[in-house]
Amino acid sequence: MFAAAESIAPVAVSAAAVLQHANGPAAPLPPSPTLPDPLIFRNGDRVRNPHDWRRRRLEILATATAQMYGVAPSARGLRFEVMERDGDAFGGLALRRQVKLLFKGSSDGPSADLLLYVPRHVRRAPVILGLNFWGNQTVCSDPGIRLSERWVESGRNPFIDLSCVVDHRATERCRGIDARRWPVENILARGYGFATMYRGDIDPDVADGRVPSLRNAYPELQSRGDNFAAIGAWAWSLSRALDYLETDRAVNASRVAVFGWSRLGKAAVWAGASDPRFAAIISHESGAGGAKLFRRDVGEDIHRLNTHFPYWFCANFKAYDGMDRELPFDQHLILSCIAPRPLYIGSAAGDTLSDPEGEFTSGVLASRVYRFLGFDGLSTTTMPPVGRSIAGRVSYQIRPGGHDVLDYDWGKYLDFFDVWLKAGGHAALET
Ligand code: GCU
C-alpha cells in the first residue's frame, strides 16, 4: 500500500541532469529545458501525501485532456451484442468470442468488433488487450474470425503488403497477414487471454472526413478546442472493451493489460493513464504523444504530429506547434498517472523518431511517483545499452532493429506479465 509521504524527499527535477545522465556524454542535448514536476501542483503547491497525489493526478489528466488528447463521450448507452459465444480455436486450446460494442446502444450507430480468445485451461484468465492496425482477421489465420467490413487502407507500405484489400475492403486473403506481430497461440499457451479490435472500427486514421469515424458520431464534441480526437477515441474504445470484459465470466477483468504499438501505443498509454482499471500497460515504441518527452527536442515533435496527423490530437494542441517546451506538461507526467501499476516501455534502437532515450527518461522521471507512492520504479537512471532490458515494476528495453513488433519483444512482455499480471506471479496487484 502507500508509503508514508514523509519518507520521500520532494526533489526539484533537474531536467538537464536527468537527461544528460540518461543520454550519456556522447549525445549533446539542447539547452536545459525545464520539466514540469509531477509532484508539484500547477499553483506551486507540493504533493505531500497520496491523497494530494490523487488530486494532482486528476489535475494532470484534466490539463492533458484540455490541451492535447481531447474530451471523450460518456459511456452511457453502451451495449454489447455477442455475435459468437463459444467458438473453438487453435484445436481446442482456446474459446473464441466475438462481441460487437454498440457505443450508442443501437446497431445502426457507431460500433466496434471485439475479438476475444480465452485459454480453456485457465479459469478466469488475465487478458492482454490491444488495438490492431489492419483488421481482426489479420492477427492470425483462424478462419472463424469475422472479416472486417470497414474501410481499410490498401497497397503496400513499409510495414505490410495490403494487396489483399480490394476497394478498401478486406478479403479472405487478408487472414493472418499481420500474424507475425501477434503471437496469439503463444500468448494463450502462456495462460493469457487475448483481445483485440481494429483501429479502423473506431477511426479510419485518415484526414479525409468522408470515411466515417467515431469522432464524427459525436458532433457535439467536435466544435471545441478540446474536441474528441483519434488518439483519445482509440483510448476510449479500449476502456469500452474493458467494460465488456468486466461482464465476461471467462475473464479476470482486474487483470487486463493494455498493449499498443506506435500510434496505438500512444492510445494505450493514454488509456492506461486515464483509466485506472487497466492492471498493466505496455508502451511499445509509442514515441511522441506516448512515452517520449517533447522537451528533449529529439525525434518527432509537435509540429510534425500536427501536420502529418492533424486529427490525432485536439484543436488546442495546434497552439503548441514549434513550442514543445511550452506544453504545460510533458509525457513523464502522463506516465506518472499510471503509477503504481506495472508499466513496460519498449524501444528500438533504430526507431529514432520515437527517441528511445526520451522514452527511457520519461520512465525515469515517472518512477519518482512510483517511489513516492511506496513502490519501485525503474531501478536505474542510466540508459541501458542496446540489447539490454531493465526488469521491474517499471521495465524498459531497447532492442536492436527498427520500428516493428518482434517475437523478441513479446518474449519480454510475456515474461513481464508472468511476474506482474498472473495470479501467483510475485506481483501483487495490491494497489
Ligand atoms: C508515424 C508517426 C508516429 C507513429 C507511427 C506509427 O511514423 O509519425 O508518431 O508512432 O507513424 O504509428 O507507425
Side-chain angles (χ1 to χ4, degrees):
M1 289 323 274
F2 296 126
E6 51 279 13
S7 65
I8 314 292
V11 187
V13 179
S14 161
V18 177
L19 296 175
Q20 293 286 12
H21 198 73
N23 213 27
L29 283 161
S32 99
T34 311
L35 276 166
D37 187 331
L39 296 174
I40 298 184
F41 285 94
R42 290 189 74 185
N43 68 3
D45 288 355
R46 282 195 189 291
V47 172
R48 298 192 181 279
N49 52 47
H51 174 73
D52 283 354
W53 167 250
R54 281 193 282 275
R55 286 195 300 120
R56 171 66 174 140
R57 177 174 173 275
L58 295 179
E59 179 182 68
I60 293 168
L61 292 173
T63 309
T65 298
Q67 303 304 323
M68 183 170 166
Y69 294 97
V71 291
S74 119
R76 252 198 328 271
L78 175 72
R79 276 201 315 117
F80 311 118
E81 186 183 300
V82 179
M83 299 179 292
E84 181 185 38
R85 183 168 301 281
D86 196 10
D88 202 45
F90 304 109
L93 172 62
L95 71 81
R96 182 187 55 242
R97 284 219 226 299
Q98 300 187 75
V99 180
K100 211 176 251 311
L101 311 185
L102 303 170
F103 295 121
K104 289 187 166 181
S106 75
S107 45
D108 54 2
S111 66
D113 289 355
L114 180 73
L115 166 67
L116 168 68
Y117 292 110
V118 186
R120 292 199 191 268
H121 65 284
V122 182
R123 224 178 72 83
R124 308 216 79 175
V127 170
I128 300 161
L129 166 69
L131 292 165
N132 65 71
F133 272 80
W134 295 292
N136 292 351
Q137 72 283 341
T138 65
V139 303
C140 63
S141 51
D142 175 2
I145 301 174
R146 295 164 62 103
L147 274 192
S148 172
E149 291 169 3
R150 304 278 176 153
W151 187 95
V152 197
E153 64 180 295
S154 56
R156 189 188 280 270
N157 66 47
F159 300 105
I160 199 155
D161 176 0
L162 291 165
S163 55
C164 64
V165 176
V166 178
D167 292 335
H168 290 291
R169 300 289 159 205
T171 67
E172 284 293 329
R173 286 187 294 121
C174 296
R175 293 194 183 281
I177 58 168
D178 199 29
R180 74 165 181 84
R181 295 197 177 93
W182 298 101
V184 179
E185 235 179 302
N186 189 21
I187 291 171
L188 295 164
R190 293 273 294 254
Y192 301 97
F194 171 71
T196 190
M197 290 182 298
Y198 168 41
R199 75 174 152 152
D201 281 9
I202 294 104
D203 201 291
D205 205 358
V206 287
D208 184 343
R210 284 172 303 181
V211 184
S213 71
L214 186 62
R215 284 176 277 147
N216 297 331
Y218 294 88
E220 69 283 10
L221 298 183
Q222 284 312 309
S223 47
R224 45 193 286 173
D226 58 354
N227 57 295
F228 190 33
I231 300 280
W234 286 322
W236 185 80
S237 74
L238 289 164
S239 287
R240 304 294 69 82
L242 182 51
D243 292 342
Y244 166 74
L245 294 173
E246 285 184 330
T247 69
D248 192 318
R249 295 189 53 77
V251 163
N252 182 344
S254 66
R255 291 174 187 268
V256 174
V258 62
F259 163 90
W261 173 41
S262 208
R263 66 198 68 191
L264 302 179
K266 305 178 205 306
V269 164
W270 181 237
S274 55
D275 189 338
R277 296 174 300 164
F278 286 112
I281 286 84
I282 307 286
S283 156
H284 184 66
E285 300 165 1
S286 62
K292 135 182 157 58
L293 292 173
F294 285 116
R295 278 168 174 72
R296 271 169 52 87
D297 287 345
V298 179
E300 187 165 34
D301 61 6
I302 294 178
H303 176 70
R304 190 176 187 284
L305 286 174
N306 280 336
T307 45
H308 284 64
F309 311 100
Y311 52 91
W312 276 4
F313 299 104
C314 71
N316 287 342
F317 194 51
K318 309 288 180 290
Y320 299 98
D321 246 48
M323 310 211 323
D324 295 53
R325 293 182 179 188
E326 308 306 317
L327 199 63
F329 59 92
D330 208 328
Q331 297 306 109
H332 63 303
L333 264 57
I334 306 299
L335 297 188
S336 299
C337 292
I338 293 171
R341 288 165 291 146
L343 164 67
Y344 203 127
I345 303 167
S347 305
D351 183 21
T352 50
L353 203 62
S354 297
D355 181 20
E357 285 152 310
E359 297 188 307
F360 173 75
T361 309
S362 207
V364 169
L365 294 168
S367 293
R368 287 184 57 231
V369 175
Y370 281 75
R371 282 192 283 279
F372 178 79
L373 297 174
F375 296 88
D376 289 335
L378 266 174
S379 57
T380 173
T381 56
T382 305
M383 177 81 180
V386 174
R388 295 288 284 278
S389 57
I390 301 163
R393 182 177 280 263
V394 179
S395 288
Y396 178 81
Q397 69 143 335
I398 175 151
R399 64 148 168 80
H403 192 65
D404 206 340
V405 189
L406 306 182
D407 273 347
Y408 177 92
D409 301 316
W410 276 106
K412 296 282 176 199
Y413 301 150
L414 287 167
D415 288 348
F416 174 80
F417 291 138
D418 285 353
V419 176
W420 298 102
L421 196 65
K422 211 172 235 181
H426 88 66
L429 287 173
E430 74 277 49
T431 51

